[in-house]
Amino acid sequence: MGETLTAKGRATRARIVEGAAEVLREQGVSFTRLDDIRDRTATSKSQLFHYFPGGKDDLLLAVAQFEADRVLEDQQPHLGRLDSWESWQRWRDVVVERYELQGDHCPLGALFLQVGRSSPGAQAIVTELMRQWQEQLARGVRAMQDKGLASPRLDTDRTAAALLAGVQGGVTIMMSTGDSTHLRAALDTGIEHLRSFA
C-alpha cells in the first residue's frame, strides 16, 4: 500500500502508527482498543481501515515495524561508528541504558505475542531487524580489524552473531528478573573477547 500513497497519505499513516505505538506502550497490547488509538490520533474509523484494511492485526504489524526500527535508531550514532574501543564502550552503555529504562516491558515482544511470532509478517520484521543489527556489529568488527585493533583472524560474522545473542539473552533474563547484570556481563565479555584478539 505504501507505494500508492500520496505524501499526505504517508504522513497520515505514519502519524497513526506513531500514535498507536504510544498508546500500546502506555496501556499494553491486551488493553488497547482501536477506539483508543482513534481517539489518540484523531482518526475516523473509515480512515483507520483505509490505511490498515486488515484492522488491528495490520496496525499491530505496522507498529511492530516502527518499534523494530526504533531498536536500531536508539543505538545510533554509536552502532554506526564502532571503530574505536571508546565507541564500542559508548555503544555498550547506550544498549544497557535503553533496556534498563525499558524495564520488564518490551513493546516489540508484546506486539509479537499478540500478532503471533509465526505469522509471516512478524517473522519477516524480526528477521530483518536481527539481520541489520548483526550486519552493523560485523561492520564494526571489520573496522577494528582494518585499524589493526582486532585480529584479522577473527570471524566477523560469528563475533557479531555472538554479541547479538548476548544482548538478546541478557535482555530476556533482565525482563524476567529486573536485573541487568547478565546483559552487562554479556556485552562486557563480548567486547573483551574482541580486545583479546587484538
Side-chain angles (χ1 to χ4, degrees):
M1 172 179 230
E3 297 79 37
T4 61
L5 293 177
T6 63
K8 183 178 177 184
R10 286 192 299 276
T12 301
R13 186 180 188 280
R15 178 178 54 77
I16 294 169
V17 170
E18 193 166 346
E22 290 172 6
V23 174
L24 290 163
R25 269 186 245 118
E26 291 166 11
Q27 298 179 193
V29 177
S30 305
F31 299 104
T32 299
R33 299 168 304 129
L34 283 179
D35 287 343
D36 299 324
I37 293 168
R38 289 194 314 103
D39 290 345
R40 173 69 62 92
T41 59
T43 306
S44 69
K45 191 171 185 178
S46 62
Q47 201 175 22
L48 194 68
F49 281 93
H50 170 72
Y51 292 107
F52 306 97
K56 191 173 183 179
D57 283 350
D58 273 6
L59 180 55
L60 289 177
L61 268 179
V63 174
Q65 182 64 64
F66 175 80
E67 293 289 3
D69 293 342
R70 282 190 63 199
V71 169
L72 296 179
E73 286 167 14
D74 288 352
Q75 297 176 54
Q76 298 301 348
H78 312 294
L79 182 60
R81 297 181 186 161
L82 296 173
D83 58 0
S84 68
W85 295 122
E86 293 77 19
S87 61
W88 278 92
Q89 187 63 42
R90 283 193 297 271
W91 167 74
R92 174 257 189 223
D93 293 345
V94 164
V95 170
V96 170
E97 181 182 12
R98 179 194 198 279
Y99 286 107
E100 284 180 339
L101 288 172
Q102 177 180 288
D104 64 356
H105 176 67
C106 176
L108 193 57
L111 284 161
F112 288 132
L113 285 175
Q114 180 72 25
V115 175
R117 292 180 196 275
S118 61
S119 78
Q123 199 171 52
I125 291 170
V126 173
T127 300
E128 182 59 17
L129 168 61
M130 296 303 156
R131 185 196 67 75
Q132 287 184 34
W133 198 345
Q134 183 174 327
E135 187 177 276
Q136 292 199 49
L137 289 169
R139 191 178 305 133
V141 175
R142 280 191 294 274
M144 298 300 279
Q145 288 173 323
D146 291 345
K147 288 187 162 189
L149 297 172
S151 169
R153 299 189 318 274
L154 201 60
D155 183 325
T156 56
D157 293 326
R158 185 177 165 86
T159 302
L163 279 163
L164 182 53
V167 172
Q168 292 301 298
V171 168
T172 300
I173 294 171
M174 191 188 80
M175 288 177 63
S176 302
T177 64
D179 185 355
S180 63
T181 300
H182 296 86
L183 174 61
R184 292 169 176 270
L187 284 166
D188 291 343
T189 303
I191 294 170
E192 283 165 17
H193 173 74
L194 189 58
R195 273 183 182 269
S196 72
F197 275 79

